[in-house]
Amino acid sequence: MGLTTAPVGAWFFAWIALAPLWVLVVEERKKLEVKEQKKRKFFLLPLLWGISYHGVALFWITGIHPMTWLGVPWLASLAIAFFCWTFITLWGAALVTTWAICQAWINRNSKSALIRVLIGTALWCGLESLWGSGSLWWTSLSFTQSPHNLAILHLGQISGPNTVTAAIVAINGLIAEAFINRKERQEKTNSTSSSISSAPGRFLLHAGYLGIAAGIFVGLHLIGFGLYSRPLLQPPEAALKVGIIQGNIPNKIKFDRAGWERAIEGYTSGYKALAPEVDAVIIPETALPFVWNQPERVGSSFYSAIKENGVVAWVGGFGKQGNNLTNSLFTITGKGDIFSQYDKVKLVPLGEYIPFEQFLGKIIDKLSPLDAQLIHGKQNQIFNTPFGRAIIGICYDSAFPELFRHQAAAGGQFILTASNDAHYTSTMMGQHHAQDLMRAIETDRWAVRATNTGFSGVIDPHGRTQWISRMNTYEIHAHTIYRRQTETLYVRWGDWLTPILLVLSGISWFIFNRR
């Protein structure tokens, strides 16, 4: 399952990679019932599967090392990187282990394979919703299909990413139940003399589960392909030409005087080059590392270029709230005024804020290059621009679909994301692009990505990448996108599928146990 994401991108493995764990959970549960197995071995199975998936997919996190540019010693930096990777891997593995325990307990008396599949699917979706509501989330099972399987990703327009997750879990469950049934029938046949009479029934039931799995797989892809094939209406009056500047400023010099000057010069020259041909220009997350709503911005050449050329700029910088800072994106009008501000909602734990700061602050406060504490933006922000309302995501926000859904439901007509992945490898950049691609499909919106070192890009509402930058290069690009006001079922109703699956599971379990 870990190979499904970048850099390998073997998305097709997701449709079979959970089945072995499903088989092991069911078989180990049966051994526990006859007291042939110790419980700790049962816990070990899903834990190892979860470590394998999340650990492989999230290994790019170790790219934060070395942090010597922050004043962290080399060995301490290595220890911090290893701790971050281990912690988030185990956090993902905890989801898998919780699922296995609940699946085993709820289905301890169930003989119905289809009810096990229903309950297992509902449980996984419910747990992903729970984990996704917190501060650590990236590797939903639905994420395994991005950016390659665009047809199935369009199911996200129905009820969000959990629609894709449900499809993956259900098909894996049916494949696993077919194997379990075949094995049980074989064991029964070997222990009796009725091999000839029982063989046809065994084959039909085994083939039936596989047939259902194949039917669901094909049917869902056809539904997704139908959504994917709908033409995009692109009236000229909805067109908006946006310029993107990828500054390519390494983090290790970003807060030095040399880095500051290089950033100002690069973004200023890029803005001047793009201004004659675009309606607006966007630059990456914290591209200009100073507090934009303070007087110091007035003396910058970038600010002067905006006033001279009169073209709107979306500027990544820091905002000020009392004694604290916000990681923000500003709309700056052609007159140099702040038109709107969006503050990053999902700050990176340890990187941008310190959880349980009263206990951990003195130990790991060197992780932040800022003198003040970054604070979270509000969940219900609205970002108006001179061209209509926009949907905003800053870096880590991209992993949380509800932030984008809320803004789309509030009238957002296009997506702007600003990120800085400078200290990571191409694996992380590819995965980040895949997250924004899913958000574009789910909300049926054009998305413009501005990153510091790659991969900046433009994505259409069907998830097709219209342009993508190279890595570790300075680039400018102009592209026409279209404002849209459509409402997908997901934008309108949110994740309605998961509660329905949970209710149906509860009803089925109750009826079966009563019988």
Side-chain angles (χ1 to χ4, degrees):
M1 191 69 83
L3 299 178
T4 58
T5 61
V8 179
W11 59 270
F12 41 85
F13 282 152
W15 300 95
I16 58 172
L18 182 61
L21 176 63
W22 191 296
V23 173
L24 291 171
V25 167
V26 173
E27 290 185 344
E28 292 299 320
R29 174 182 58 82
K30 292 178 180 178
K31 291 179 182 179
L32 284 173
E33 290 174 1
V34 295
K35 299 181 180 180
E36 292 181 2
Q37 203 72 25
K38 293 183 179 180
K39 290 184 178 181
R40 62 175 177 269
K41 183 177 179 181
F42 175 80
F43 297 149
L44 190 62
L45 297 171
L47 181 65
L48 289 177
W49 191 96
I51 290 173
S52 299
Y53 170 45
H54 295 281
V56 171
L58 294 170
F59 190 74
W60 54 260
I61 289 173
T62 57
I64 63 175
H65 172 74
M67 292 178 284
T68 51
W69 60 279
L70 283 174
V72 180
W74 195 90
L75 284 177
S77 171
L78 181 63
I80 292 171
F82 181 76
F83 169 79
C84 291
W85 175 64
T86 301
F87 185 86
I88 197 168
T89 296
L90 292 176
W91 182 246
L95 183 154
V96 184
T97 306
T98 303
W99 172 82
I101 293 171
C102 294
Q103 178 79 337
W105 183 81
I106 292 174
N107 291 303
R108 63 191 184 280
N109 298 318
S110 174
K111 303 299 181 183
S112 171
L114 294 180
I115 289 180
R116 280 201 297 265
V117 171
L118 175 61
I119 292 176
T121 302
L123 278 174
W124 198 292
C125 290
L127 288 170
E128 283 208 354
S129 295
L130 180 62
W131 257 245
S133 64
S135 298
L136 287 177
W137 189 236
W138 190 264
T139 38
S140 163
L141 287 190
S142 60
F143 181 54
T144 63
Q145 303 303 290
S146 186
H148 304 290
N149 192 356
L150 295 182
I152 206 68
L153 288 176
H154 274 71
L155 296 182
Q157 294 185 348
I158 298 174
S159 185
N162 269 0
T163 321
V164 181
T165 294
I168 293 172
V169 177
I171 289 172
N172 273 276
L174 287 166
I175 293 173
E177 292 295 342
F179 177 86
I180 293 168
N181 177 263
R182 182 179 183 274
K183 186 176 180 181
E184 288 177 345
R185 295 284 181 170
Q186 188 66 48
E187 292 172 351
K188 185 176 181 180
T189 298
N190 293 338
S191 64
T192 65
S193 59
S194 58
S195 59
I196 297 178
S197 60
S198 64
R202 180 178 72 247
F203 173 78
L204 289 175
L205 194 56
H206 169 66
Y209 293 142
L210 292 179
I212 295 172
I216 293 175
F217 180 83
V218 173
L220 291 179
H221 276 78
L222 288 174
I223 293 172
F225 184 75
L227 295 171
Y228 173 70
S229 301
R230 292 184 304 176
L232 295 176
L233 299 178
Q234 299 179 161
E237 61 272 17
L240 178 65
K241 196 165 187 179
V242 179
I244 304 169
I245 306 175
Q246 179 172 293
N248 194 34
I249 309 295
N251 281 344
K252 61 184 178 182
I253 69 168
K254 185 175 180 180
F255 294 93
D256 294 337
R257 187 68 188 179
W260 181 306
E261 292 175 352
R262 177 174 160 182
I264 293 291
E265 179 183 356
Y267 290 115
T268 300
S269 62
Y271 176 88
K272 289 180 178 180
L274 288 167
E277 55 177 313
V278 301
D279 300 306
V281 175
I282 182 171
I283 64 176
E285 173 191 23
T286 60
L288 302 179
F290 52 79
V291 179
W292 187 262
N293 50 8
Q294 295 292 311
E296 57 191 307
R297 77 180 190 274
V298 178
S300 72
S301 59
F302 186 79
Y303 180 81
S304 299
I306 293 175
K307 298 195 71 174
E308 290 171 7
N309 291 270
V311 173
V312 170
W314 288 300
V315 178
F318 293 108
K320 189 81 171 177
Q321 286 192 15
N323 294 325
N324 296 311
L325 300 178
T326 59
N327 184 342
S328 305
L329 188 72
F330 299 90
T331 299
I332 309 300
T333 67
K335 295 181 179 180
D337 300 323
I338 297 176
F339 188 88
S340 56
Q341 175 180 344
Y342 175 91
D343 301 328
K344 185 176 181 180
V345 177
K346 296 293 184 177
L347 299 178
V348 179
L350 300 182
E352 294 178 310
Y353 81 102
I354 301 174
F356 311 110
E357 187 182 11
Q358 62 272 34
F359 305 109
L360 302 177
K362 294 181 180 179
I363 302 174
I364 54 179
D365 60 359
K366 287 187 177 181
L367 277 173
S368 174
L370 306 173
D371 295 327
Q373 174 81 0
L374 279 177
I375 58 175
H376 297 265
K378 296 180 180 179
Q379 295 275 351
N380 58 347
Q381 297 176 74
I382 299 298
F383 192 80
N384 291 313
T385 78
F387 315 103
R389 189 163 290 175
I391 302 166
I392 305 300
I394 299 179
C395 202
Y396 189 39
D397 286 343
S398 297
F400 298 87
E402 271 297 310
L403 295 178
F404 291 73
R405 187 197 75 83
H406 166 78
Q407 294 181 75
Q413 301 175 39
F414 54 97
I415 296 173
L416 300 172
T417 63
S419 305
N420 178 19
D421 303 328
H423 38 288
Y424 295 114
T425 63
S426 60
T427 297
M428 193 279 174
M429 297 176 188
Q431 290 191 15
H432 206 159
H433 180 82
Q435 293 280 11
D436 283 338
L437 184 147
M438 293 175 68
R439 309 293 87 87
I441 293 175
E442 291 155 6
T443 57
D444 193 35
R445 296 292 187 268
W446 283 82
V448 177
R449 306 187 68 244
T451 70
N452 184 4
T453 54
F455 300 122
S456 301
V458 178
I459 306 167
D460 75 13
H462 284 320
R464 295 172 297 207
T465 301
Q466 300 295 324
W467 173 78
I468 190 167
S469 71
R470 295 165 295 172
M471 180 180 170
N472 295 329
T473 58
Y474 176 86
E475 296 193 34
I476 62 174
H477 179 77
H479 206 101
T480 300
I481 65 171
Y482 294 86
R483 291 161 286 184
R484 295 172 64 82
Q485 299 181 2
T486 57
E487 271 196 344
T488 64
L489 289 178
Y490 173 59
V491 169
R492 189 177 304 169
W493 296 334
D495 178 17
W496 53 268
L497 178 63
T498 298
I500 289 178
L501 288 175
L502 289 170
V503 169
L504 289 177
S505 297
I507 293 173
S508 301
W509 181 83
F510 178 78
I511 293 175
F512 184 88
N513 280 276
R514 283 291 296 268
R515 291 176 61 187

